[in-house]
Amino acid sequence: MRKHSAGARAEVVLRYGADAVELLVENDGGTATNGHRGGHGLIGMRERVAVFGGTLDAGPRANGGFRVSARLPLQPTA
């Protein structure tokens, strides 16, 4: 977050359920990259989550800031 939204506050929520682990990260900063270019960012996160049969959603929040939500199943997918 420091790289993309310096000075923003973030909230992290981790939920562990019977069938999945869910992670939610939200900040109140902007969506600017602060000059950083390169890397795989959200694409890389989506790919890594998909390897385990999970899902990842990310994007700007309606009231400003940014949100990333991931769900990883605890059982292997067929």
Side-chain angles (χ1 to χ4, degrees), residues 44-67:
M45 286 193 289
R46 278 193 184 96
E47 290 173 350
R48 289 187 290 276
V49 167
V51 164
F52 297 101
T55 57
L56 184 128
D57 295 308
R61 299 185 325 162
N63 58 342
F66 202 78
R67 177 179 195 269

Side-chain angles (χ1 to χ4, degrees), residues 2-65:
R2 259 176 92 185
K3 182 179 0 177
H4 298 292
S5 196
R9 293 179 304 169
E11 180 177 338
V12 177
V13 177
L14 179 64
R15 291 186 183 101
Y16 183 83
D19 62 343
V21 173
E22 297 175 349
L23 175 67
L24 172 65
V25 180
E26 294 182 305
N27 74 34
D28 61 0
T31 58
T33 62
N34 292 338
H36 176 75
R37 299 283 180 225
H40 298 285
L42 294 173
I43 294 170
M45 286 193 289
R46 278 193 184 96
E47 290 173 350
R48 289 187 290 276
V49 167
V51 164
F52 297 101
T55 57
L56 184 128
D57 295 308
R61 299 185 325 162
N63 58 342

